[in-house]
Amino acid sequence: DTEVTQTPKHLVMGMTNKKSLKCEQHMGHRAMYWYKQKAKKPPELMFVYSYEKLSINESVPSRFSPECPNSSLLNLHLHALQPEDSALYLCASSPGQGAVEQYFGPGTRLTVT
Amino acid sequence: GQNIDQPTEMTATEGAIVQINCTYQTSGFNGLFWYQQHAGEAPTFLSYNVLDGLEEKGRFSSFLSRSKGYSYLLLKELQMKDSASYLCAVRDRSGDSSYKLIFGSGTRLLVRP
């Protein structure tokens, strides 16, 4: 299994809602990542987890809250988002944080109304 | 600071060769990656260079010159399915030994018949 899965594929939420994005991999990878990608822009790193511990937070607003319950799962909890947070949210994993290749999931397209 | 530059768009003909250039400035360079991203899909890994020189992988080759802060991706025998965005990404190692992947804005390649 060389796949990173993400659910849901699409999400529409209001500014007062609380929702979560989920990411899963069964490749035994120990590093997992959240990226945000706006239309026609490159992915921007948000968070990195290494061995289930948060190792990088790129000064992301607290309305985004990551969680790594185990080595296969990565969540992104969303609360009180703004319309400008609408984007494609990509999850990725790699064998370790220093590994060469990151495997990306298909992403969750989020729309905040 | 960190800066990655690549052309915004390129057009080429099916069967031809195209070279996509990337220049970068970064403080903790630890490798350069090329990713392909079709519209609405996740990025997929194409190549990785950490030492100077050319890496060849089928129809795709990537070159790196660390002293010049320069890389290129060479695509041979272009096919229509090669129409996509090509993202240059630099792995940066910060002071606390954490690795980050920083993406350029991407080059949209259109392959015409």
Side-chain angles (χ1 to χ4, degrees), chain A residues 63-103:
Chain A
R63 57 186 185 270
F64 295 91
S65 175
E67 179 198 18
C68 189
N70 61 57
S71 59
S72 300
L73 290 173
L74 185 67
N75 298 323
L76 186 63
H77 302 298
L78 314 172
H79 174 55
L81 294 194
Q82 304 295 312
E84 58 264 29
D85 296 322
S86 299
L88 181 68
Y89 287 84
L90 293 163
C91 173
S93 73
S94 63
Q97 198 181 343
V100 169
E101 185 173 349
Q102 290 185 18
Y103 294 78

Side-chain angles (χ1 to χ4, degrees), chain A residues 35 37 40-43 45 48 55-56 58 88 90 97-102 104-106 109, chain B residues 33 35 37 40-45 48 87 91 96-101 103-106 108:
Chain A
Y35 290 86
Q37 187 175 24
K40 298 188 178 181
K41 297 288 186 185
L45 183 66
V48 180
S55 66
I56 295 178
E58 289 287 275
L88 181 68
L90 293 163
Q97 198 181 343
V100 169
E101 185 173 349
Q102 290 185 18
F104 282 84
R109 186 157 300 282
Chain B
F33 298 75
Y35 280 82
Q37 187 175 27
E41 297 182 12
T44 54
F45 171 82
Y48 167 67
L87 302 166
R91 186 166 65 178
D96 64 355
S97 299
S98 298
Y99 291 98
K100 297 194 296 188
L101 203 58
F103 286 87
S105 298
R108 284 192 298 280

Side-chain angles (χ1 to χ4, degrees), chain A:
Chain A
D1 184 0
T2 58
E3 196 179 35
V4 177
T5 59
Q6 290 187 243
T7 55
K9 282 191 174 179
H10 300 275
L11 178 63
V12 179
M13 61 185 289
M15 289 188 285
T16 58
N17 291 158
K18 282 186 180 181
K19 296 285 184 184
S20 296
L21 308 184
K22 295 187 185 305
C23 174
E24 192 166 1
Q25 57 87 13
H26 295 289
M27 294 179 278
H29 289 175
R30 303 316 298 264
M32 296 185 77
Y33 311 79
W34 279 117
Y35 290 86
K36 174 182 176 179
Q37 187 175 24
K38 303 280 277 184
K40 298 188 178 181
K41 297 288 186 185
E44 294 179 357
L45 183 66
M46 298 174 72
F47 302 104
V48 180
Y49 272 83
S50 180
Y51 288 87
E52 298 156 50
K53 287 186 169 34
L54 184 65
S55 66
I56 295 178
N57 176 344
E58 289 287 275
S59 303
V60 179
S62 60
R63 57 186 185 270
F64 295 91
S65 175
E67 179 198 18
C68 189
N70 61 57
S71 59
S72 300
L73 290 173
L74 185 67
N75 298 323
L76 186 63
H77 302 298
L78 314 172
H79 174 55
L81 294 194
Q82 304 295 312
E84 58 264 29
D85 296 322
S86 299
L88 181 68
Y89 287 84
L90 293 163
C91 173
S93 73
S94 63
Q97 198 181 343
V100 169
E101 185 173 349
Q102 290 185 18
Y103 294 78
F104 282 84
T108 293
R109 186 157 300 282
L110 174 68
T111 303
V112 182
T113 60

Side-chain angles (χ1 to χ4, degrees), chain B:
Chain B
Q2 296 154 341
N3 194 43
I4 302 173
D5 286 316
Q6 48 182 134
T8 304
E9 286 185 351
M10 297 183 73
T11 303
T13 304
E14 191 177 15
I17 299 173
V18 71
Q19 177 174 313
I20 303 174
N21 296 324
C22 171
T23 57
Y24 65 89
Q25 287 177 305
T26 183
S27 52
F29 179 82
N30 201 266
L32 188 138
F33 298 75
W34 284 95
Y35 280 82
Q36 180 192 61
Q37 187 175 27
H38 285 98
E41 297 182 12
T44 54
F45 171 82
L46 290 178
S47 69
Y48 167 67
N49 296 70
V50 68
L51 299 177
D52 291 353
L54 189 68
E55 294 283 340
E56 295 186 81
K57 210 175 181 181
R59 294 190 298 116
F60 294 75
S61 303
S62 56
F63 171 83
L64 175 67
S65 168
R66 288 172 298 168
S67 62
K68 295 181 180 177
Y70 168 70
S71 172
Y72 68 72
L73 179 70
L74 194 71
L75 292 81
K76 303 175 188 174
E77 300 169 18
L78 280 172
Q79 301 174 8
M80 299 299 290
K81 66 178 183 179
D82 296 329
S83 292
S85 284
Y86 291 85
L87 302 166
C88 173
V90 169
R91 186 166 65 178
D92 189 75
R93 190 169 190 177
S94 59
D96 64 355
S97 299
S98 298
Y99 291 98
K100 297 194 296 188
L101 203 58
I102 303 162
F103 286 87
S105 298
T107 298
R108 284 192 298 280
L109 174 66
L110 176 62
V111 179
R112 292 190 169 147

